Structure formats: structure tokens, C-alpha cells
Amino acid sequence: MSSTDPSEKRRTALDALHRSLGATMTDFAGWDMPLRYASERDEHNAVRTKAGLFDLSHMGEITVTGPAAAALLNHALVGNIASVGVGRARYTMICQADGGILDDLIVYRLSETEYMVVANASNAQVVLDALVERSAGFDAEVRDDRDAYALLAVQGPESPGILKSLTDADLDGLKYYAGLPGTVAGVPALIARTGYTGEDGFELFVKPEHAVELWQALTKAGEGAGLVPCGLSCRDTLRLEAGMPLYGNELTTSLTPFDAGLGRVVKFEKEGDFVGREALTEAAARASQNPPRVLVGLVAEGRRVPRAGYPVVAGGEVIGEVTSGAPSPTLGKPIAMAYVDAAHSAPGTAGVGVDIRGSHEPYEVVALPFYKRQK
């Protein structure tokens, strides 16, 4: 699954298969990953209207087990992990002592005393190191399971039907942000109803040696439903349309969850101390009195695409900064997420533009997300 030479890019168990499909490969957080197979627009539209199949084996799985696993995670993370029911998952964050965001995470409770923490590929080692350090004094073990899993995702409106044809697991009873053990095409898997596309879909955690077999079974099952293989490029435009933050763009160590408009993930009411509590209490107070910049959506009136780091302007003044930008296949226009001064954050605010290489291009301020699927 991975190379022992740190200078070499890591490859997933599906690497040879991606190449056989003609994928354009790219370096992502030290992994060689498929960027696209053919047209990223076609891949994006397939997920919105039919289904797409992704290899997400670069994500970082960390297992936390033991009698004090819940207590450790409550101490190490900002969420109330002890209140997550067995078989459920929660979106949360791990912060520094100063409140800065180290990563955003999904935590699955697999049993009373076992959790799986899924970190972003670029931060997996940082999160692992922080959890190991924070586990001191707790009767719990933190285990690096990055090489123990391959992760495949089936996303899009046709994904439940495709998966149902390969498993007898109760998909109808599987809620959003829940997971259950089952078999898919004879392969043992943790089947989770989670995703990063704004569509209904599933993420399948399996042993690396089963990844190719499962990919091929899903491909065959999805033939009549319009399923296509999808790369990281359309994953980015899908999550952008859905208003979902990307670590390194919307989330960084220089921002607290309150700065990012995600203060709701911080659970001050949980028992015991947690890393960053004091700094985050102050950040919450600051945010209530003096609102920080607000994360908003921007829709272009023209055709020029904004990129991360471009200044957002109004009345000749810089009022914010673009964090993510791309052409939106669904809207047919360039879109961006940006942090802007609270005074310019209301949807419909007039006179807002993006400085694209010296030219102030007009943009409409809109509420996030840009796209919401019909239930």
C-alpha cells in the first residue's frame, strides 16, 4: 500500500487499475492519485445526476481503542465524542492549544470502546502524533491504521441502487453519518453513509487486498446506471458547490472554528477539559462581540475564474480573500468561497468584486452552499 522511502510517492492498492483506465495522475499530499480519467466536467455531472466511483485510499485512518477511548477523544478533540452512538459518525475538529485548527475529521464509533478517526491525507501524520501525545494518562491505545484500509466512495443519486445490488446490508435503514459492517460483492466492509460531494452516497472501508475486486464489482454493477470513475479534480468542484470546507483553503492553523463559521462543532458543555478549551472560549466571546470575517459564496457575473488567495474588493478596498474557486459545472459560471468582512457578507451585497490580476471582476455574494440536492 505504501513505500518505505519517504521521497517516493505513496500509491494506493488501485494504482495499476487507475493507470489501465488512462487516468491523469497527480501528487496529492505525497500520494500518486487520479486527477481525472477523461473529462472532469463529465465526471462532476455524473455524480450530480447518476453516480461516480472514487478512490480515497489516501485518507488517514487512526483507530482509538480501550476503556478510556471516549474520554481520550473528548479530551483531544473539540466535539463531544462520548455522546456518539455505536454505528454513528460525527464531523469534528482537532485544534491546537491556541484554538487553531489542526484538521477537520470524521469520527466513527465502531463499538463501545473502539473508534475510527479519519483525517485528511495532508494532516494524517500531524493528527496521529497529536492523538498519541494527548493519550498520555488515558487507558486507551492510538493505532496508525493508514495501511490497513483502502477507501472507495460511490456518490450520486444512483449510488443506493448500485450498492443494493451488491449487498444485503440494510442501506435503507442507514442514516446519513452512520456506518455498519457488512459485505459488498463478498468483500467485508465498513459501509458508511458519508461523502464530500453534496450528494447521497457511501464510503466503503475495506482491506487493501480487496480494493481491486470491489472496484471492479461496483463498476460492473453501475454500468446500466451511468456510474463513471472519478478523480480528485471533480471531487473538488463537487465539494465547492456543496459549500464544504477544504483543509488548507477554508481551514488552517491560523483560524479557530469560530473564525471559520464552524463554532457549532465546539462542545463546551461536555465533561472535563479539552485541548484548546480556554482559547476557544475567548474566540467564541470575540466572535459574538466583533464578528470575524464570514465565509460566503461568490458567483461570477463574467467568465474569469477566481483562485485561492485572490483579494475580494469593494469600493477600492480589500474586504476579504478567496479561499477556493473554480468553474461550476452545475451553475455554468465561475464560483468561489471567500472570507469577507461581516459588513459585506449579506447575500446580494452590491459592489463586491474579485481582483483577478489587477482587474476587478464583479461577483454576486450568495449564501452557502451553492448547490443543495433535492431530498
Side-chain angles (χ1 to χ4, degrees):
M1 181 86 172
S2 66
S3 162
T4 51
D5 181 350
S7 67
E8 283 185 30
K9 282 186 282 192
R10 300 179 71 170
R11 296 185 172 191
T12 77
L14 291 159
D15 184 77
L17 192 148
H18 297 317
R19 292 168 196 279
S20 75
L21 292 172
T24 299
M25 306 297 285
T26 188
D27 177 20
F28 185 83
W31 290 82
D32 215 13
M33 298 297 294
L35 185 65
R36 70 181 73 82
Y37 296 85
S39 155
E40 54 207 44
R41 177 181 290 269
D42 289 349
E43 291 171 26
H44 178 110
N45 290 334
V47 175
R48 285 277 177 260
T49 60
K50 292 170 183 170
L53 178 58
F54 296 82
D55 177 11
L56 306 179
S57 302
H58 61 313
M59 300 295 281
E61 295 87 6
I62 301 161
T63 304
V64 180
T65 57
L72 162 57
L73 289 170
N74 262 15
H75 165 70
L77 312 179
V78 300
N80 187 352
I81 308 305
S83 68
V84 178
V86 173
R88 298 307 301 264
R90 184 156 298 166
Y91 177 79
T92 187
M93 293 182 183
I94 182 167
C95 290
Q96 300 177 148
D98 67 1
I101 303 166
L102 280 173
D103 201 13
D104 61 336
L105 311 164
I106 296 181
V107 180
Y108 296 88
R109 189 168 197 168
L110 305 181
S111 72
E112 282 299 325
T113 58
E114 182 176 6
Y115 295 81
M116 181 169 66
V117 177
V118 181
N120 286 296
S122 54
N123 296 329
Q125 191 63 48
V126 169
V127 173
L128 177 68
D129 292 346
L131 287 175
V132 169
E133 185 185 326
R134 296 174 189 189
S135 68
F138 288 91
D139 186 6
E141 181 199 348
V142 177
R143 189 172 71 234
D144 180 359
D145 269 348
R146 283 176 287 180
D147 288 348
Y149 291 102
L151 176 57
L152 280 63
V154 192
Q155 299 281 302
E158 297 290 340
S159 57
I162 292 167
L163 206 55
K164 274 181 191 173
S165 71
L166 297 173
T167 183
D168 56 7
D170 179 17
L171 299 186
D172 290 335
L174 187 63
K175 295 185 172 71
Y176 186 50
Y177 266 70
L180 84 170
T183 57
V184 182
V187 170
L190 172 66
I191 305 167
R193 200 164 207 150
T194 44
Y196 194 51
T197 62
E199 296 299 336
D200 191 11
F202 304 87
E203 296 184 324
L204 308 170
F205 296 85
V206 300
K207 288 181 176 176
E209 57 264 34
H210 293 148
V212 170
E213 175 188 350
L214 182 56
W215 178 284
Q216 290 171 337
L218 288 163
T219 299
K220 192 166 179 4
E223 274 173 1
L227 176 127
V228 301
C230 291
L232 293 183
S233 185
C234 83
R235 181 170 153 88
D236 192 50
T237 53
L238 289 159
R239 70 92 196 165
L240 176 55
E241 287 184 351
M244 294 176 168
L246 174 66
Y247 194 89
N249 291 47
E250 287 71 41
L251 309 174
T252 68
T253 51
S254 63
L255 297 172
T256 72
F258 294 95
D259 297 322
L262 291 165
R264 65 180 181 275
V265 305
V266 181
K267 303 300 181 187
F268 292 115
E269 70 276 12
K270 64 180 173 176
E271 285 181 29
D273 196 15
F274 63 90
V275 177
R277 180 192 274 273
E278 193 178 330
L280 290 168
T281 302
E282 292 169 9
R286 274 198 311 275
S288 64
Q289 290 160 11
N290 182 21
R293 281 184 164 175
V294 179
L295 189 64
V296 300
L298 298 174
V299 178
E301 292 180 21
R303 308 304 307 169
R304 296 185 74 185
V305 178
R307 298 297 181 191
Y310 285 11
V312 181
V313 293
E317 300 288 316
V318 174
I319 57 148
E321 185 176 298
V322 171
T323 53
S324 296
S328 164
T330 304
L331 275 65
K333 298 175 180 178
I335 60 172
M337 286 200 278
Y339 282 111
V340 301
D341 295 343
H344 294 86
S345 63
T349 300
V352 172
V354 175
D355 185 338
I356 300 181
R357 298 189 190 89
S359 170
H360 291 188
E361 302 288 329
Y363 273 74
E364 181 190 356
V365 178
V366 300
L368 291 170
F370 300 96
Y371 166 85
K372 215 171 196 169
R373 73 181 172 96
Q374 301 301 307
K375 300 286 187 196

